[in-house]
Amino acid sequence: MREKQLWGLLFALVFMSYGTVAHAGWNFGIGTGPQLLNVSGDMGFDTALGAVDIDVDLDPDDLADVTESAIGLGGYATDGKWVIQFVVGKL
C-alpha cells in the first residue's frame, strides 16, 4: 500500500509542479528502459559471534539468476542551467 502512495505522490508532484514552472523555461522528461545492474563491494552483518564481512561481486547474469523482476522509472527537469534528476526502482 505504501508503495502505491509513494508512486502517486511522485506523479502528483511532477504534474502539479509542471504548471508552476512551465513559464520559467523549464523542460521535463520521464521514461524507462533496459538496464543492467552489477554489484561489487563489501557486505556485513552482526551475529552473536561478532561482525561478519563478505566480499560481494555479482555481474548482471548472477543478479538475473536471483531476482524475479525489476521495474524502474527516471526523469529530469532542467532550465538550461540547473538539472534535477530522479530515479525510482524496485528490485
Side-chain angles (χ1 to χ4, degrees):
M1 180 70 173
R2 182 179 169 111
E3 182 180 337
K4 288 182 181 180
Q5 292 171 341
L6 291 175
W7 280 104
L9 177 62
L10 175 67
F11 285 119
L13 288 174
V14 169
F15 291 117
M16 286 175 24
S17 65
Y18 180 76
T20 60
V21 296
H23 301 291
W26 285 80
N27 296 307
F28 300 91
I30 191 167
T32 187
Q35 181 178 1
L36 297 175
L37 174 68
N38 66 333
V39 176
S40 179
D42 296 327
M43 179 177 79
F45 54 91
D46 289 327
T47 68
L49 301 174
V52 176
D53 288 332
I54 301 170
D55 289 328
V56 178
D57 188 14
L58 299 171
D59 63 19
D61 290 334
D62 294 333
L63 286 168
D65 290 340
V66 297
T67 57
E68 292 180 13
S69 64
I71 188 168
L73 180 70
Y76 74 94
T78 182
D79 68 349
K81 181 178 178 182
W82 293 91
V83 177
I84 301 168
Q85 293 181 316
F86 73 89
V87 177
V88 178
K90 178 171 173 114
L91 182 62

